[in-house]
mmCIF file of all heavy atoms in Angstrom:
data_model
loop_
_atom_site.group_PDB
_atom_site.id
_atom_site.type_symbol
_atom_site.label_atom_id
_atom_site.label_comp_id
_atom_site.label_asym_id
_atom_site.label_seq_id
_atom_site.Cartn_x
_atom_site.Cartn_y
_atom_site.Cartn_z
ATOM 1 N N MET A 150 0.865 -1.217 0.025
ATOM 2 C CA MET A 150 0.013 -0.059 -0.001
ATOM 3 C C MET A 150 0.954 1.323 -0.042
ATOM 4 O O MET A 150 1.886 1.343 0.750
ATOM 5 C CB MET A 150 -0.815 -0.020 1.243
ATOM 6 C CG MET A 150 -1.920 -1.093 1.234
ATOM 7 S SD MET A 150 -3.208 -0.769 0.034
ATOM 8 C CE MET A 150 -4.380 0.242 1.032
ATOM 9 N N ALA A 151 0.564 2.159 -0.715
ATOM 10 C CA ALA A 151 1.289 3.413 -0.832
ATOM 11 C C ALA A 151 0.921 4.344 0.307
ATOM 12 O O ALA A 151 -0.222 4.509 0.695
ATOM 13 C CB ALA A 151 0.921 4.151 -2.135
ATOM 14 N N ARG A 152 1.988 4.762 0.939
ATOM 15 C CA ARG A 152 1.759 5.651 2.100
ATOM 16 C C ARG A 152 1.443 7.040 1.719
ATOM 17 O O ARG A 152 1.982 7.559 0.595
ATOM 18 C CB ARG A 152 3.033 5.616 2.965
ATOM 19 C CG ARG A 152 2.719 5.720 4.455
ATOM 20 C CD ARG A 152 3.883 5.518 5.259
ATOM 21 N NE ARG A 152 5.217 5.421 4.491
ATOM 22 C CZ ARG A 152 6.303 5.586 5.120
ATOM 23 N NH1 ARG A 152 6.466 6.070 6.413
ATOM 24 N NH2 ARG A 152 7.508 5.583 4.522
ATOM 25 N N ALA A 153 0.626 7.820 2.221
ATOM 26 C CA ALA A 153 0.166 9.100 1.944
ATOM 27 C C ALA A 153 1.448 9.975 2.005
ATOM 28 O O ALA A 153 2.095 9.972 3.033
ATOM 29 C CB ALA A 153 -0.917 9.598 2.822
ATOM 30 N N LYS A 154 1.681 10.742 0.976
ATOM 31 C CA LYS A 154 2.715 11.795 1.057
ATOM 32 C C LYS A 154 2.354 12.835 2.025
ATOM 33 O O LYS A 154 1.085 13.269 2.023
ATOM 34 C CB LYS A 154 3.144 12.254 -0.339
ATOM 35 C CG LYS A 154 4.017 11.313 -1.141
ATOM 36 C CD LYS A 154 4.478 11.987 -2.438
ATOM 37 C CE LYS A 154 5.368 10.893 -3.160
ATOM 38 N NZ LYS A 154 5.720 11.582 -4.466
ATOM 39 N N ARG A 155 3.423 13.467 2.427
ATOM 40 C CA ARG A 155 3.090 14.713 3.329
ATOM 41 C C ARG A 155 3.770 15.936 2.804
ATOM 42 O O ARG A 155 4.955 15.799 2.092
ATOM 43 C CB ARG A 155 3.413 14.473 4.766
ATOM 44 C CG ARG A 155 2.461 13.428 5.372
ATOM 45 C CD ARG A 155 2.554 13.382 6.869
ATOM 46 N NE ARG A 155 1.644 12.525 7.407
ATOM 47 C CZ ARG A 155 0.448 12.914 7.928
ATOM 48 N NH1 ARG A 155 0.193 14.194 7.969
ATOM 49 N NH2 ARG A 155 -0.499 12.111 8.413
ATOM 50 N N CYS A 156 3.209 17.112 2.957
ATOM 51 C CA CYS A 156 3.819 18.216 2.509
ATOM 52 C C CYS A 156 5.148 18.560 3.143
ATOM 53 O O CYS A 156 5.103 18.563 4.354
ATOM 54 C CB CYS A 156 2.821 19.480 2.786
ATOM 55 S SG CYS A 156 3.390 21.079 2.320
ATOM 56 N N PRO A 157 6.193 18.919 2.461
ATOM 57 C CA PRO A 157 7.444 19.196 3.076
ATOM 58 C C PRO A 157 7.395 20.532 3.875
ATOM 59 O O PRO A 157 8.249 20.804 4.664
ATOM 60 C CB PRO A 157 8.409 19.301 1.968
ATOM 61 C CG PRO A 157 7.567 19.516 0.791
ATOM 62 C CD PRO A 157 6.298 19.047 0.944
ATOM 63 N N PHE A 158 6.419 21.451 3.633
ATOM 64 C CA PHE A 158 6.391 22.683 4.281
ATOM 65 C C PHE A 158 5.602 22.662 5.567
ATOM 66 O O PHE A 158 6.090 23.193 6.495
ATOM 67 C CB PHE A 158 5.589 23.680 3.279
ATOM 68 C CG PHE A 158 6.469 24.001 2.031
ATOM 69 C CD1 PHE A 158 6.314 23.272 1.011
ATOM 70 C CD2 PHE A 158 7.307 25.086 2.131
ATOM 71 C CE1 PHE A 158 6.994 23.429 -0.243
ATOM 72 C CE2 PHE A 158 8.213 25.288 0.894
ATOM 73 C CZ PHE A 158 8.009 24.558 -0.246
ATOM 74 N N CYS A 159 4.422 21.964 5.519
ATOM 75 C CA CYS A 159 3.621 22.010 6.784
ATOM 76 C C CYS A 159 3.271 20.607 7.281
ATOM 77 O O CYS A 159 2.696 20.527 8.369
ATOM 78 C CB CYS A 159 2.280 22.706 6.443
ATOM 79 S SG CYS A 159 1.217 21.751 5.359
ATOM 80 N N GLY A 160 3.638 19.561 6.527
ATOM 81 C CA GLY A 160 3.333 18.156 7.061
ATOM 82 C C GLY A 160 1.936 17.726 6.904
ATOM 83 O O GLY A 160 1.518 16.602 7.338
ATOM 84 N N HIS A 161 1.130 18.600 6.237
ATOM 85 C CA HIS A 161 -0.229 18.180 5.843
ATOM 86 C C HIS A 161 -0.284 17.061 4.916
ATOM 87 O O HIS A 161 0.649 17.076 3.993
ATOM 88 C CB HIS A 161 -0.859 19.386 5.354
ATOM 89 C CG HIS A 161 -2.377 19.374 5.281
ATOM 90 N ND1 HIS A 161 -3.224 19.649 6.315
ATOM 91 C CD2 HIS A 161 -3.224 18.950 4.189
ATOM 92 C CE1 HIS A 161 -4.492 19.483 6.034
ATOM 93 N NE2 HIS A 161 -4.517 19.063 4.720
ATOM 94 N N LYS A 162 -1.230 16.214 4.920
ATOM 95 C CA LYS A 162 -1.356 15.176 4.004
ATOM 96 C C LYS A 162 -1.700 15.672 2.603
ATOM 97 O O LYS A 162 -2.562 16.481 2.516
ATOM 98 C CB LYS A 162 -2.407 14.125 4.474
ATOM 99 C CG LYS A 162 -1.955 12.682 4.396
ATOM 100 C CD LYS A 162 -2.825 11.744 5.240
ATOM 101 C CE LYS A 162 -4.031 11.285 4.469
ATOM 102 N NZ LYS A 162 -4.951 10.458 5.155
ATOM 103 N N LEU A 163 -0.871 15.221 1.660
ATOM 104 C CA LEU A 163 -1.218 15.671 0.306
ATOM 105 C C LEU A 163 -2.374 14.867 -0.353
ATOM 106 O O LEU A 163 -2.634 13.694 0.040
ATOM 107 C CB LEU A 163 0.035 15.485 -0.621
ATOM 108 C CG LEU A 163 1.336 16.192 -0.204
ATOM 109 C CD1 LEU A 163 2.451 15.920 -1.029
ATOM 110 C CD2 LEU A 163 1.075 17.707 -0.041
ATOM 111 N N ASP A 164 -3.051 15.538 -1.243
ATOM 112 C CA ASP A 164 -4.175 14.746 -1.955
ATOM 113 C C ASP A 164 -3.439 13.801 -3.018
ATOM 114 O O ASP A 164 -2.315 13.634 -3.041
ATOM 115 C CB ASP A 164 -5.151 15.692 -2.628
ATOM 116 C CG ASP A 164 -4.475 16.441 -3.877
ATOM 117 O OD1 ASP A 164 -3.431 16.102 -4.271
ATOM 118 O OD2 ASP A 164 -5.179 17.310 -4.358
ATOM 119 N N GLU A 165 -4.387 13.042 -3.603
ATOM 120 C CA GLU A 165 -3.858 11.951 -4.505
ATOM 121 C C GLU A 165 -2.969 12.392 -5.626
ATOM 122 O O GLU A 165 -2.146 11.628 -6.222
ATOM 123 C CB GLU A 165 -5.004 11.018 -5.001
ATOM 124 C CG GLU A 165 -6.021 11.744 -5.856
ATOM 125 C CD GLU A 165 -7.219 12.380 -5.082
ATOM 126 O OE1 GLU A 165 -7.193 12.143 -3.854
ATOM 127 O OE2 GLU A 165 -7.915 13.110 -5.631
ATOM 128 N N GLU A 166 -3.071 13.729 -5.976
ATOM 129 C CA GLU A 166 -2.198 14.260 -6.988
ATOM 130 C C GLU A 166 -0.955 14.867 -6.474
ATOM 131 O O GLU A 166 -0.150 15.391 -7.106
ATOM 132 C CB GLU A 166 -2.991 15.249 -7.859
ATOM 133 C CG GLU A 166 -4.025 14.540 -8.823
ATOM 134 C CD GLU A 166 -4.777 15.584 -9.585
ATOM 135 O OE1 GLU A 166 -4.134 16.447 -10.279
ATOM 136 O OE2 GLU A 166 -5.974 15.579 -9.636
ATOM 137 N N GLY A 167 -0.855 14.853 -5.147
ATOM 138 C CA GLY A 167 0.373 15.397 -4.543
ATOM 139 C C GLY A 167 0.348 16.862 -4.180
ATOM 140 O O GLY A 167 1.369 17.514 -4.001
ATOM 141 N N TRP A 168 -0.968 17.346 -4.035
ATOM 142 C CA TRP A 168 -1.041 18.848 -3.735
ATOM 143 C C TRP A 168 -1.498 19.108 -2.274
ATOM 144 O O TRP A 168 -2.364 18.353 -1.779
ATOM 145 C CB TRP A 168 -2.058 19.497 -4.662
ATOM 146 C CG TRP A 168 -1.678 19.369 -6.111
ATOM 147 C CD1 TRP A 168 -2.071 18.516 -7.055
ATOM 148 C CD2 TRP A 168 -0.808 20.307 -6.846
ATOM 149 N NE1 TRP A 168 -1.492 18.738 -8.201
ATOM 150 C CE2 TRP A 168 -0.616 19.746 -8.070
ATOM 151 C CE3 TRP A 168 -0.079 21.398 -6.407
ATOM 152 C CZ2 TRP A 168 0.150 20.410 -9.092
ATOM 153 C CZ3 TRP A 168 0.723 21.915 -7.388
ATOM 154 C CH2 TRP A 168 0.810 21.540 -8.649
ATOM 155 N N CYS A 169 -0.880 19.990 -1.684
ATOM 156 C CA CYS A 169 -1.107 20.295 -0.253
ATOM 157 C C CYS A 169 -2.515 21.124 -0.271
ATOM 158 O O CYS A 169 -2.688 22.071 -0.869
ATOM 159 C CB CYS A 169 -0.005 21.171 0.371
ATOM 160 S SG CYS A 169 -0.424 21.515 2.071
ATOM 161 N N ARG A 170 -3.458 20.705 0.603
ATOM 162 C CA ARG A 170 -4.750 21.256 0.716
ATOM 163 C C ARG A 170 -4.828 22.143 1.993
ATOM 164 O O ARG A 170 -5.951 22.478 2.315
ATOM 165 C CB ARG A 170 -5.794 20.226 0.710
ATOM 166 C CG ARG A 170 -5.831 19.467 -0.633
ATOM 167 C CD ARG A 170 -6.484 20.304 -1.595
ATOM 168 N NE ARG A 170 -6.294 19.743 -3.043
ATOM 169 C CZ ARG A 170 -6.620 20.388 -4.125
ATOM 170 N NH1 ARG A 170 -7.142 21.587 -4.158
ATOM 171 N NH2 ARG A 170 -6.318 19.878 -5.247
ATOM 172 N N ASN A 171 -3.629 22.377 2.621
ATOM 173 C CA ASN A 171 -3.704 23.181 3.823
ATOM 174 C C ASN A 171 -3.677 24.675 3.476
ATOM 175 O O ASN A 171 -2.709 25.226 2.865
ATOM 176 C CB ASN A 171 -2.544 22.979 4.701
ATOM 177 C CG ASN A 171 -2.529 23.736 5.962
ATOM 178 O OD1 ASN A 171 -3.353 24.490 6.318
ATOM 179 N ND2 ASN A 171 -1.398 23.669 6.645
ATOM 180 N N LYS A 172 -4.851 25.387 3.659
ATOM 181 C CA LYS A 172 -4.957 26.799 3.186
ATOM 182 C C LYS A 172 -3.901 27.641 3.832
ATOM 183 O O LYS A 172 -3.543 28.807 3.377
ATOM 184 C CB LYS A 172 -6.345 27.320 3.634
ATOM 185 C CG LYS A 172 -7.328 26.728 2.630
ATOM 186 C CD LYS A 172 -8.817 27.504 2.779
ATOM 187 C CE LYS A 172 -9.759 26.896 1.765
ATOM 188 N NZ LYS A 172 -10.219 25.579 2.049
ATOM 189 N N ASP A 173 -3.365 27.347 5.122
ATOM 190 C CA ASP A 173 -2.411 28.093 5.660
ATOM 191 C C ASP A 173 -0.922 27.852 5.369
ATOM 192 O O ASP A 173 -0.125 28.468 5.865
ATOM 193 C CB ASP A 173 -2.523 27.951 7.301
ATOM 194 C CG ASP A 173 -3.855 28.276 7.830
ATOM 195 O OD1 ASP A 173 -4.375 29.305 7.228
ATOM 196 O OD2 ASP A 173 -4.377 27.773 8.760
ATOM 197 N N CYS A 174 -0.878 26.899 4.391
ATOM 198 C CA CYS A 174 0.494 26.507 3.999
ATOM 199 C C CYS A 174 1.154 27.427 3.005
ATOM 200 O O CYS A 174 0.424 27.897 2.189
ATOM 201 C CB CYS A 174 0.331 25.066 3.452
ATOM 202 S SG CYS A 174 2.043 24.418 2.873
ATOM 203 N N ALA A 175 2.453 27.523 3.038
ATOM 204 C CA ALA A 175 3.164 28.415 2.049
ATOM 205 C C ALA A 175 3.068 27.841 0.753
ATOM 206 O O ALA A 175 3.196 28.574 -0.318
ATOM 207 C CB ALA A 175 4.610 28.542 2.460
ATOM 208 N N ASP A 176 2.856 26.567 0.653
ATOM 209 C CA ASP A 176 2.857 25.819 -0.697
ATOM 210 C C ASP A 176 1.395 25.837 -1.256
ATOM 211 O O ASP A 176 1.151 25.400 -2.367
ATOM 212 C CB ASP A 176 3.289 24.315 -0.554
ATOM 213 C CG ASP A 176 3.757 23.816 -1.865
ATOM 214 O OD1 ASP A 176 4.380 24.628 -2.645
ATOM 215 O OD2 ASP A 176 3.490 22.688 -2.172
ATOM 216 N N TYR A 177 0.366 26.302 -0.515
ATOM 217 C CA TYR A 177 -1.006 26.227 -0.942
ATOM 218 C C TYR A 177 -1.241 27.092 -2.185
ATOM 219 O O TYR A 177 -2.058 26.822 -2.958
ATOM 220 C CB TYR A 177 -1.914 26.614 0.138
ATOM 221 C CG TYR A 177 -3.373 26.414 -0.112
ATOM 222 C CD1 TYR A 177 -3.897 25.123 -0.360
ATOM 223 C CD2 TYR A 177 -4.171 27.517 -0.311
ATOM 224 C CE1 TYR A 177 -5.261 24.942 -0.718
ATOM 225 C CE2 TYR A 177 -5.483 27.308 -0.709
ATOM 226 C CZ TYR A 177 -6.087 26.094 -0.862
ATOM 227 O OH TYR A 177 -7.441 25.883 -1.229
ATOM 228 N N ILE A 178 -0.401 28.206 -2.301
ATOM 229 C CA ILE A 178 -0.582 29.012 -3.495
ATOM 230 C C ILE A 178 -0.289 28.282 -4.822
ATOM 231 O O ILE A 178 -0.966 28.465 -5.817
ATOM 232 C CB ILE A 178 0.373 30.174 -3.354
ATOM 233 C CG1 ILE A 178 0.256 31.309 -4.433
ATOM 234 C CG2 ILE A 178 1.937 29.722 -3.300
ATOM 235 C CD1 ILE A 178 -0.949 32.133 -4.306
ATOM 236 N N ARG A 179 0.616 27.248 -4.717
ATOM 237 C CA ARG A 179 0.809 26.476 -5.870
ATOM 238 C C ARG A 179 -0.403 25.574 -6.078
ATOM 239 O O ARG A 179 -0.750 25.297 -7.327
ATOM 240 C CB ARG A 179 2.095 25.578 -5.622
ATOM 241 C CG ARG A 179 3.448 26.392 -5.708
ATOM 242 C CD ARG A 179 4.510 25.402 -6.124
ATOM 243 N NE ARG A 179 4.661 24.252 -5.303
ATOM 244 C CZ ARG A 179 4.624 23.028 -5.940
ATOM 245 N NH1 ARG A 179 4.694 22.921 -7.203
ATOM 246 N NH2 ARG A 179 4.619 22.044 -5.089
ATOM 247 N N THR A 180 -0.987 25.006 -5.094
ATOM 248 C CA THR A 180 -2.160 24.267 -5.237
ATOM 249 C C THR A 180 -3.286 25.139 -5.920
ATOM 250 O O THR A 180 -3.952 24.533 -6.815
ATOM 251 C CB THR A 180 -2.734 23.847 -3.785
ATOM 252 O OG1 THR A 180 -1.601 23.099 -3.264
ATOM 253 C CG2 THR A 180 -3.855 22.809 -3.972
ATOM 254 N N GLN A 181 -3.431 26.305 -5.508
ATOM 255 C CA GLN A 181 -4.497 27.235 -6.073
ATOM 256 C C GLN A 181 -4.153 27.441 -7.523
ATOM 257 O O GLN A 181 -5.109 27.421 -8.325
ATOM 258 C CB GLN A 181 -4.437 28.542 -5.351
ATOM 259 C CG GLN A 181 -5.236 28.292 -3.847
ATOM 260 C CD GLN A 181 -5.243 29.739 -3.199
ATOM 261 O OE1 GLN A 181 -4.219 30.346 -3.087
ATOM 262 N NE2 GLN A 181 -6.378 30.227 -2.752
ATOM 263 N N THR A 182 -2.948 27.761 -7.754
ATOM 264 C CA THR A 182 -2.561 27.969 -9.208
ATOM 265 C C THR A 182 -2.946 26.779 -10.094
ATOM 266 O O THR A 182 -3.491 26.890 -11.125
ATOM 267 C CB THR A 182 -1.130 28.362 -9.304
ATOM 268 O OG1 THR A 182 -0.783 29.352 -8.455
ATOM 269 C CG2 THR A 182 -0.756 28.740 -10.712
ATOM 270 N N HIS A 183 -2.479 25.593 -9.558
ATOM 271 C CA HIS A 183 -2.861 24.422 -10.209
ATOM 272 C C HIS A 183 -4.284 24.113 -10.523
ATOM 273 O O HIS A 183 -4.767 23.803 -11.524
ATOM 274 C CB HIS A 183 -2.164 23.180 -9.435
ATOM 275 C CG HIS A 183 -2.762 21.903 -9.882
ATOM 276 N ND1 HIS A 183 -2.210 21.269 -10.967
ATOM 277 C CD2 HIS A 183 -3.712 21.060 -9.420
ATOM 278 C CE1 HIS A 183 -2.804 20.050 -11.171
ATOM 279 N NE2 HIS A 183 -3.806 19.931 -10.136
ATOM 280 N N ASP A 184 -5.078 24.443 -9.446
ATOM 281 C CA ASP A 184 -6.514 24.231 -9.548
ATOM 282 C C ASP A 184 -7.177 25.145 -10.502
ATOM 283 O O ASP A 184 -8.001 24.843 -11.307
ATOM 284 C CB ASP A 184 -7.166 24.508 -8.194
ATOM 285 C CG ASP A 184 -6.913 23.325 -7.237
ATOM 286 O OD1 ASP A 184 -6.606 22.261 -7.741
ATOM 287 O OD2 ASP A 184 -7.466 23.385 -6.117
ATOM 288 N N ALA A 185 -6.616 26.494 -10.497
ATOM 289 C CA ALA A 185 -7.089 27.589 -11.473
ATOM 290 C C ALA A 185 -6.816 27.086 -12.864
ATOM 291 O O ALA A 185 -7.682 27.270 -13.708
ATOM 292 C CB ALA A 185 -6.424 28.742 -11.110
ATOM 293 N N GLU A 186 -5.579 26.538 -13.124
ATOM 294 C CA GLU A 186 -5.248 26.175 -14.475
ATOM 295 C C GLU A 186 -6.118 25.024 -14.910
ATOM 296 O O GLU A 186 -6.653 24.986 -15.971
ATOM 297 C CB GLU A 186 -3.830 25.678 -14.537
ATOM 298 C CG GLU A 186 -2.924 26.981 -14.698
ATOM 299 C CD GLU A 186 -1.456 26.566 -14.450
ATOM 300 O OE1 GLU A 186 -1.092 25.342 -14.485
ATOM 301 O OE2 GLU A 186 -0.647 27.396 -14.332
ATOM 302 N N LYS A 187 -6.336 24.073 -14.006
ATOM 303 C CA LYS A 187 -7.220 22.872 -14.229
ATOM 304 C C LYS A 187 -8.696 23.498 -14.609
ATOM 305 O O LYS A 187 -9.188 23.014 -15.522
ATOM 306 C CB LYS A 187 -7.297 22.030 -13.008
ATOM 307 C CG LYS A 187 -6.619 20.647 -13.422
ATOM 308 C CD LYS A 187 -6.761 19.812 -12.127
ATOM 309 C CE LYS A 187 -6.882 18.249 -12.635
ATOM 310 N NZ LYS A 187 -7.041 17.461 -11.510
ATOM 311 N N ALA A 188 -9.085 24.322 -13.838
ATOM 312 C CA ALA A 188 -10.551 24.759 -14.006
ATOM 313 C C ALA A 188 -10.665 25.553 -15.324
ATOM 314 O O ALA A 188 -11.615 25.407 -16.066
ATOM 315 C CB ALA A 188 -10.855 25.716 -12.858
ATOM 316 N N ALA A 189 -9.581 26.365 -15.689
ATOM 317 C CA ALA A 189 -9.561 27.009 -16.895
ATOM 318 C C ALA A 189 -9.592 26.019 -18.051
ATOM 319 O O ALA A 189 -10.246 26.235 -19.002
ATOM 320 C CB ALA A 189 -8.301 28.017 -17.066
ATOM 321 N N GLU A 190 -8.816 25.072 -17.876
ATOM 322 C CA GLU A 190 -8.704 23.996 -18.943
ATOM 323 C C GLU A 190 -10.193 23.350 -19.240
ATOM 324 O O GLU A 190 -10.596 23.338 -20.330
ATOM 325 C CB GLU A 190 -7.739 22.893 -18.542
ATOM 326 C CG GLU A 190 -6.468 23.090 -19.264
ATOM 327 C CD GLU A 190 -5.461 22.046 -18.775
ATOM 328 O OE1 GLU A 190 -5.838 20.865 -18.637
ATOM 329 O OE2 GLU A 190 -4.280 22.423 -18.510
ATOM 330 N N SER A 191 -10.812 22.906 -18.101
ATOM 331 C CA SER A 191 -12.096 22.313 -18.244
ATOM 332 C C SER A 191 -13.153 23.210 -18.724
ATOM 333 O O SER A 191 -14.008 22.926 -19.508
ATOM 334 C CB SER A 191 -12.415 21.600 -16.930
ATOM 335 O OG SER A 191 -12.651 22.761 -15.932
ATOM 336 N N SER A 192 -12.968 24.506 -18.299
ATOM 337 C CA SER A 192 -14.111 25.424 -18.768
ATOM 338 C C SER A 192 -13.851 25.808 -20.312
ATOM 339 O O SER A 192 -14.816 26.101 -20.988
ATOM 340 C CB SER A 192 -14.057 26.742 -17.971
ATOM 341 O OG SER A 192 -12.896 27.488 -18.218
ATOM 342 N N MET A 193 -12.674 25.834 -20.644
ATOM 343 C CA MET A 193 -12.335 25.986 -22.145
ATOM 344 C C MET A 193 -12.853 24.862 -23.000
ATOM 345 O O MET A 193 -13.367 24.994 -23.951
ATOM 346 C CB MET A 193 -10.866 26.084 -22.307
ATOM 347 C CG MET A 193 -10.320 27.607 -22.277
ATOM 348 S SD MET A 193 -8.574 27.638 -22.161
ATOM 349 C CE MET A 193 -8.088 27.158 -23.826
ATOM 350 N N ALA A 194 -12.681 23.632 -22.436
ATOM 351 C CA ALA A 194 -13.198 22.393 -23.105
ATOM 352 C C ALA A 194 -14.650 22.436 -23.098
ATOM 353 O O ALA A 194 -15.332 22.012 -24.135
ATOM 354 C CB ALA A 194 -12.713 21.231 -22.350
ATOM 355 N N LYS A 195 -15.285 22.804 -22.094
ATOM 356 C CA LYS A 195 -16.851 22.925 -22.094
ATOM 357 C C LYS A 195 -17.348 24.118 -23.073
ATOM 358 O O LYS A 195 -18.266 23.933 -23.822
ATOM 359 C CB LYS A 195 -17.235 23.335 -20.736
ATOM 360 C CG LYS A 195 -17.621 22.117 -19.832
ATOM 361 C CD LYS A 195 -18.225 22.548 -18.467
ATOM 362 C CE LYS A 195 -18.112 21.406 -17.470
ATOM 363 N NZ LYS A 195 -17.989 21.912 -16.138
ATOM 364 N N ALA A 196 -16.512 25.240 -23.057
ATOM 365 C CA ALA A 196 -16.971 26.362 -23.961
ATOM 366 C C ALA A 196 -16.827 25.954 -25.355
ATOM 367 O O ALA A 196 -17.502 26.512 -26.218
ATOM 368 C CB ALA A 196 -16.136 27.501 -23.551
ATOM 369 N N ASP A 197 -16.025 25.004 -25.566
ATOM 370 C CA ASP A 197 -15.800 24.582 -27.085
ATOM 371 C C ASP A 197 -17.016 23.844 -27.663
ATOM 372 O O ASP A 197 -17.124 22.667 -27.474
ATOM 373 C CB ASP A 197 -14.478 23.734 -27.104
ATOM 374 C CG ASP A 197 -14.140 23.408 -28.489
ATOM 375 O OD1 ASP A 197 -14.305 24.263 -29.375
ATOM 376 O OD2 ASP A 197 -13.560 22.311 -28.758
ATOM 377 N N GLY A 198 -17.832 24.662 -28.250
ATOM 378 C CA GLY A 198 -19.065 24.039 -28.881
ATOM 379 C C GLY A 198 -20.187 23.628 -27.993
ATOM 380 O O GLY A 198 -21.072 23.003 -28.396
ATOM 381 N N ASP A 199 -20.001 23.946 -26.698
ATOM 382 C CA ASP A 199 -20.996 23.533 -25.722
ATOM 383 C C ASP A 199 -21.650 24.753 -25.043
ATOM 384 O O ASP A 199 -22.349 24.534 -24.114
ATOM 385 C CB ASP A 199 -20.379 22.547 -24.735
ATOM 386 C CG ASP A 199 -21.401 21.543 -24.241
ATOM 387 O OD1 ASP A 199 -22.397 21.338 -24.933
ATOM 388 O OD2 ASP A 199 -21.191 21.112 -23.040
ATOM 389 N N SER A 200 -21.386 25.931 -25.564
ATOM 390 C CA SER A 200 -21.865 27.140 -24.786
ATOM 391 C C SER A 200 -23.358 27.300 -24.837
ATOM 392 O O SER A 200 -23.896 27.807 -23.802
ATOM 393 C CB SER A 200 -21.197 28.396 -25.334
ATOM 394 O OG SER A 200 -21.245 28.353 -26.698
ATOM 395 N N ALA A 201 -23.931 26.977 -25.783
ATOM 396 C CA ALA A 201 -25.473 27.084 -25.946
ATOM 397 C C ALA A 201 -26.208 26.237 -25.001
ATOM 398 O O ALA A 201 -27.187 26.519 -24.376
ATOM 399 C CB ALA A 201 -26.033 26.820 -27.246
ATOM 400 N N GLN A 202 -25.587 25.107 -24.612
ATOM 401 C CA GLN A 202 -26.207 24.145 -23.782
ATOM 402 C C GLN A 202 -26.249 24.612 -22.332
ATOM 403 O O GLN A 202 -27.134 24.287 -21.617
ATOM 404 C CB GLN A 202 -25.537 22.756 -23.881
ATOM 405 C CG GLN A 202 -26.395 21.562 -23.629
ATOM 406 C CD GLN A 202 -25.768 20.240 -23.817
ATOM 407 O OE1 GLN A 202 -24.522 20.175 -23.704
ATOM 408 N NE2 GLN A 202 -26.450 19.255 -24.269
ATOM 409 N N SER A 203 -25.184 25.248 -22.036
ATOM 410 C CA SER A 203 -25.023 25.632 -20.553
ATOM 411 C C SER A 203 -26.019 26.771 -20.237
ATOM 412 O O SER A 203 -26.543 26.831 -19.005
ATOM 413 C CB SER A 203 -23.595 26.189 -20.237
ATOM 414 O OG SER A 203 -23.274 27.309 -21.061
ATOM 415 N N ASP A 204 -26.500 27.535 -21.236
ATOM 416 C CA ASP A 204 -27.528 28.543 -20.952
ATOM 417 C C ASP A 204 -28.916 27.766 -20.731
ATOM 418 O O ASP A 204 -29.784 27.991 -19.931
ATOM 419 C CB ASP A 204 -27.713 29.449 -22.101
ATOM 420 C CG ASP A 204 -26.631 30.506 -21.912
ATOM 421 O OD1 ASP A 204 -26.258 30.845 -20.841
ATOM 422 O OD2 ASP A 204 -26.358 31.225 -22.948
ATOM 423 N N ALA A 205 -29.115 26.746 -21.605
ATOM 424 C CA ALA A 205 -30.385 26.029 -21.644
ATOM 425 C C ALA A 205 -30.640 25.186 -20.321
ATOM 426 O O ALA A 205 -31.722 25.007 -19.985
ATOM 427 C CB ALA A 205 -30.465 25.157 -22.827
ATOM 428 N N SER A 206 -29.489 24.828 -19.720
ATOM 429 C CA SER A 206 -29.567 23.878 -18.646
ATOM 430 C C SER A 206 -30.172 24.555 -17.334
ATOM 431 O O SER A 206 -30.428 23.918 -16.316
ATOM 432 C CB SER A 206 -28.324 23.143 -18.422
ATOM 433 O OG SER A 206 -27.260 24.104 -17.981
ATOM 434 N N LYS A 207 -30.071 25.866 -17.303
ATOM 435 C CA LYS A 207 -30.505 26.611 -16.136
ATOM 436 C C LYS A 207 -31.938 26.818 -15.932
ATOM 437 O O LYS A 207 -32.676 26.777 -16.981
ATOM 438 C CB LYS A 207 -29.810 27.949 -16.050
ATOM 439 C CG LYS A 207 -28.527 27.832 -15.383
ATOM 440 C CD LYS A 207 -28.053 29.183 -14.826
ATOM 441 C CE LYS A 207 -26.839 28.953 -13.925
ATOM 442 N NZ LYS A 207 -26.310 30.128 -13.495
HETATM 443 ZN ZN1 ZN B 727 1.585 22.215 3.109
#
């Protein structure tokens, strides 16, 4: 079994992708950046030819 990795900055348990989820951690800014990039990617993918549907679904 793989042992959960821990953040080298705060010792918080990392998520399955290796990102620290401790909001008080100095490394959390990288997690946020990563999340923002991921969100931008998925929203771009959604906007690609699917923009009309998101209006209709509300
Ligand atoms: Zn941390």
Side-chain angles (χ1 to χ4, degrees):
M150 291 289 272
R152 219 172 0 159
K154 279 189 178 176
R155 288 193 177 263
C156 176
F158 294 90
C159 69
H161 195 84
K162 225 161 87 177
L163 300 177
D164 72 7
E165 61 270 353
E166 287 182 52
W168 297 96
C169 181
R170 294 286 165 189
N171 177 10
K172 289 188 175 69
D173 295 326
C174 178
D176 201 38
Y177 186 69
I178 186 75
R179 290 203 312 127
T180 306
Q181 285 182 304
T182 307
H183 166 79
D184 281 353
E186 278 171 11
K187 247 186 148 180
E190 257 174 46
S191 62
S192 70
M193 269 168 71
K195 265 183 200 161
D197 187 30
D199 206 29
S200 49
Q202 207 173 35
S203 61
D204 276 341
S206 65
K207 269 204 169 173

